[in-house]
Amino acid sequence: MTSASIPPPGTPLKLPTPSTSHITSQPVYPPSEDSYLLLDAFSLPSEVSFISSRFPRETPAPLLVEIGTGSGVVSAFVAAHAKPLFGRRDLITLGLDVSFTANTVTNTTITKACVENAATCATFLNSVTSDLTSCLRPSCVDILIFNPPYVPTSEHPSLSTLRDGTPQRGLVNSKSQEDYDMEEYLLSLTYAGGENGMETTDRLLDQLHNVLSDRGVLYLLLCAGNKPPEVVERVLGMGRGWKMEEVIERRAGYEILSIWKIYR
Amino acid sequence: MKLLTANFLSCAVKACKSSPLSFPLHFKDAELASKSVPYNPVLLSNLLPRLDWPALVTSSKELGFALPDSKPDVARISTPSAASSPSDGDDTAMSMGATDEDEKTLRMLHKVLMETEVVEGKMVCGSCGFEYGIHQTVANFLLPSHLGTLSYHDRLRDTGLRYFAEDSRTCEFKI
């Protein structure tokens, strides 16, 4: 019993991509192929029906959390179009990122998108500076989205610069060498995944049973270098009825990107 | 940070997660602002069942608001089943079914939970005493390395030790 499944035919929803025109020189991961693949995954009719049947309207309001919001484009998309994507508007959303700059940018991206889609949007609560979901109460997340630093790299940058340094400031139009260095470091955190590109993703999978609610589902982006079949094996090996299924796959330049959902 | 958000946060120190004292975190030196948020009674009535009410009362009190001691008994407001079209507009129009009493309660909750924003301040863990700063509404939950849970890889790197670390990726420990 493996997990790959091909989405049934059907026309994906065509919903506008949130504007990120307020991002000028801030050191955040810009909306890219991987971000757009996540938007397309949520727009598939198969996912729309999966989510609306998993979170029926008569159940309590779901909590949606994105880890590593970066520009905020993915969270803004799902928050702004909650009604067509999830069949309900009574969702609350939180954004988590290790970068303060990313969090302030995300606040703007989501707020703007929700104002522009006032009739269909969920309610965005806040962005929080956090390492993965360490700030959250256990087992409260219903829909978790993670576009991790997935590129296999020989070095995996440590978070100690952010943990132990001076409190982060919002970076824009950097002029000093110190700011340039910080920008370069923050950008390395957005993509460098260490061994197999999996060092950060592995830490999340280790904790997943303490993060998701019983009805919770993780949408995770992987690239071919992450060796998805091994990740599937690992998730199935966690027992307790964990499943991992492919939602969508796409070639993007030299990368093959895929979105997976992991749930019990 | 909205007052509602505090109902989903607890101390990031791993050893505190199981302590009842780590939730809710306690607001300190909070500078508040009122931020207008569209009123969504359907959301509020569907959120109530999952909120930790005593924690909310505590957080509210710390910010100068008095909530009733027990969770208000508000009937669930549902959207009409015909509301499957994405363009059927604002859920506000669908709160017509709520009684005046419920409506008053939901408006009050909206003001306190959704529109009260802590712009600057701190949140303090009742278990370990760690203070999380809030700056421009963004709370910082990144712990210093000596409190955070580092992966084995991080620890090897940070201490400059070089071990043969094969197969250690899932090994985590607290310092």
Side-chain angles (χ1 to χ4, degrees):
Chain A
M1 175 191 85
T2 55
S3 35
S5 69
I6 292 141
T11 318
L13 299 177
K14 288 248 182 292
L15 298 164
T17 304
S19 162
T20 48
S21 59
H22 51 284
I23 301 174
T24 50
S25 68
Q26 297 92 331
V28 299
Y29 188 71
S32 311
E33 287 291 339
D34 43 11
S35 332
Y36 298 131
L37 189 61
L38 272 164
L39 308 195
D40 291 347
F42 282 105
S43 304
L44 289 173
S46 53
E47 286 323 293
V48 170
S49 69
F50 174 82
I51 291 179
S52 52
S53 64
R54 203 165 166 85
F55 304 98
R57 280 190 197 178
E58 59 275 14
T59 58
L63 169 64
L64 181 149
V65 174
E66 183 183 5
I67 305 172
T69 43
S71 69
V73 71
V74 175
S75 272
F77 180 82
V78 292
H81 305 302
K83 188 114 189 196
L85 294 176
F86 306 135
R88 58 196 292 177
R89 277 192 60 207
D90 58 336
L91 268 84
I92 46 173
T93 84
L94 283 173
L96 310 178
D97 202 292
V98 294
S99 158
F100 175 79
T101 301
N103 283 324
T104 54
V105 164
T106 290
N107 283 344
T108 307
T109 310
I110 302 180
T111 306
K112 273 172 63 179
C114 286
V115 166
E116 282 167 20
N117 297 275
T120 60
C121 68
T123 297
F124 168 63
L125 298 183
N126 288 108
S127 291
V128 179
T129 305
S130 176
D131 173 28
L132 300 176
T133 60
S134 59
C135 63
L136 297 181
R137 288 179 70 196
S139 311
C140 71
V141 183
D142 296 306
I143 302 171
L144 183 62
I145 304 173
F146 191 25
N147 179 1
Y150 59 78
V151 177
T153 50
S154 53
E155 292 283 315
H156 187 228
S158 157
L159 287 178
S160 54
T161 306
L162 294 181
R163 290 183 186 280
D164 305 324
T166 51
Q168 296 186 58
R169 295 172 293 117
L171 289 174
V172 61
N173 298 324
S174 294
K175 296 279 194 301
S176 70
Q177 187 60 44
E178 187 192 352
D179 285 354
Y180 286 136
D181 291 346
M182 181 53 98
E183 286 197 354
E184 194 178 335
Y185 167 68
L186 286 174
L187 290 171
S188 77
L189 290 177
T190 68
Y191 70 85
E195 190 182 346
N196 292 334
M198 283 296 289
E199 289 195 32
T200 306
T201 306
D202 274 341
R203 283 203 299 129
L204 178 68
L205 293 177
D206 281 343
Q207 312 161 8
L208 199 59
H209 60 283
N210 281 329
V211 174
L212 294 182
S213 66
D214 289 343
R215 60 177 181 167
V217 52
L218 162 66
Y219 284 86
L220 175 68
L221 186 138
L222 295 177
C223 73
N226 301 150
K227 305 181 182 166
E230 287 181 18
V231 183
V232 170
E233 206 171 304
R234 175 179 170 185
V235 168
L236 299 183
M238 299 193 306
R240 302 186 214 184
W242 284 101
K243 295 190 268 275
M244 176 160 170
E245 296 162 3
E246 187 170 44
V247 175
I248 193 171
E249 183 177 299
R250 182 175 299 160
R251 178 175 287 278
Y254 61 90
E255 285 175 324
I256 299 172
L257 303 175
S258 50
I259 311 289
W260 300 73
K261 62 179 179 227
I262 300 176
Y263 61 103
R264 282 175 276 203
Chain B
M1 152 121 1
K2 294 183 198 306
L3 218 157
L4 177 58
T5 303
N7 218 248
F8 297 97
L9 302 177
S10 67
C11 183
V13 174
K14 212 171 185 181
C16 288
K17 284 290 181 197
S18 55
S19 162
L21 293 172
S22 74
F23 174 81
L25 298 166
H26 300 288
F27 286 110
K28 191 178 156 189
D29 306 332
E31 287 173 32
L32 304 184
S34 176
K35 198 180 156 203
S36 169
V37 173
Y39 176 56
N40 187 339
V42 175
L43 170 64
L44 287 164
S45 81
N46 280 348
L47 259 181
L48 268 176
R50 70 176 297 169
L51 294 181
D52 186 309
W53 191 259
L56 219 47
V57 173
T58 302
S59 302
S60 307
K61 207 172 282 171
E62 288 164 358
L63 299 183
F65 298 93
L67 290 181
D69 286 339
S70 52
K71 192 185 280 197
D73 185 18
V74 175
R76 178 187 295 276
I77 306 168
S78 56
T79 47
S81 54
S84 51
S85 132
S87 57
D88 61 355
D90 198 333
D91 285 344
T92 310
M94 293 155 198
S95 67
M96 306 309 269
T99 63
D100 286 356
E101 189 67 19
D102 284 357
E103 176 75 10
K104 233 169 88 184
T105 306
L106 292 173
R107 290 271 175 192
M108 179 274 291
L109 287 176
H110 177 71
K111 198 156 184 53
V112 176
L113 302 187
M114 299 283 189
E115 301 201 304
T116 304
E117 189 94 45
V118 178
V119 182
E120 303 285 329
K122 294 185 181 95
M123 298 178 97
V124 186
C125 175
S127 171
C128 71
F130 191 83
E131 298 191 346
Y132 299 94
I134 301 170
H135 179 46
Q136 293 175 15
T137 77
V138 179
N140 176 18
F141 275 75
L142 280 181
L143 293 166
S145 299
H146 68 279
L147 288 175
T149 304
L150 300 181
S151 73
Y152 193 56
H153 284 252
D154 281 340
R155 184 162 162 81
L156 288 184
R157 209 167 283 122
D158 290 354
T159 55
L161 296 174
R162 290 215 163 270
Y163 290 126
F164 183 63
E166 192 183 31
D167 212 16
S168 64
R169 203 178 317 122
T170 56
C171 168
E172 287 203 349
F173 52 86
K174 217 174 67 67
I175 303 159

